[in-house]
Amino acid sequence: MNSISKKRTKAFLIDIAISSAVTAGVEYILRKKVKNEAIHAIVTPTVVMWSLELAQLRKKGQTVGYKKMGLVLENENGTRLTSTQIIKRMAYRDSISTFDYLKNPKAFEQQNGQLLPHDSFSGTVVKEV
């Protein structure tokens, strides 16, 4: 695994930990209003993580995990990241990207871990700061 790939993995784990803490607080509030367990198990964690990630990437191009690991998400053509681009990246990463990895793990990394399939799909690239 390349150094950028390792940093990306650690950054993602940091972001999941933060998201889990926020989700616990949101679920505490929602449990009184929403009785459906599927909402608490599937929808709430996804919405919280995507919302946090979208807000952070849109504002600074970094999540808390990316900042700790010295990474930044940039647009391929150098312009500011768009919300659509970030949402496409998250959706692809959390769905189709898993199947891409299972089909061909060796081809999963391109350009030393800067460009994964969800980055190619959304037109983004991860760089070290």
Side-chain angles (χ1 to χ4, degrees):
M1 211 181 219
N2 297 320
S3 83
I4 292 178
S5 297
K6 287 180 184 177
K7 287 182 179 184
R8 287 179 78 155
T9 302
K10 290 176 184 176
F12 189 67
L13 293 174
I14 291 168
D15 292 336
I16 287 175
I18 292 168
S19 175
S20 296
V22 173
T23 299
V26 170
E27 281 186 3
Y28 177 77
I29 295 167
L30 286 180
R31 287 228 180 257
K32 297 172 187 172
K33 297 178 183 177
V34 179
K35 302 298 181 196
N36 188 342
E37 283 300 314
I39 299 294
H40 299 295
I42 300 167
V43 176
T44 305
T46 303
V47 168
V48 169
M49 182 155 182
W50 282 26
S51 299
L52 288 172
E53 190 172 351
L54 177 66
Q56 293 174 60
L57 289 175
R58 186 79 175 109
K59 187 166 181 152
K60 296 187 179 183
Q62 292 178 305
T63 61
V64 173
Y66 272 38
K67 190 171 186 173
K68 291 279 185 200
M69 293 294 114
L71 300 172
V72 66
L73 182 69
E74 296 179 348
N75 198 331
E76 283 180 335
N77 59 14
T79 59
R80 188 177 171 100
L81 292 170
T82 65
S83 296
T84 305
Q85 223 176 0
I86 297 167
I87 292 168
K88 281 174 58 175
R89 181 179 184 271
M90 291 185 296
Y92 193 92
R93 178 196 64 213
D94 292 348
S95 59
I96 300 168
S97 189
T98 304
F99 298 113
D100 287 346
Y101 180 75
L102 292 174
K103 283 194 299 189
N104 192 1
K106 291 181 181 177
F108 200 70
E109 287 189 24
Q110 301 169 24
Q111 300 177 1
N112 298 322
Q114 291 178 322
L115 190 63
L116 296 177
H118 52 273
D119 295 317
S120 297
F121 181 74
S122 62
T124 59
V125 64
V126 175
K127 295 183 179 176
E128 289 183 293
V129 181

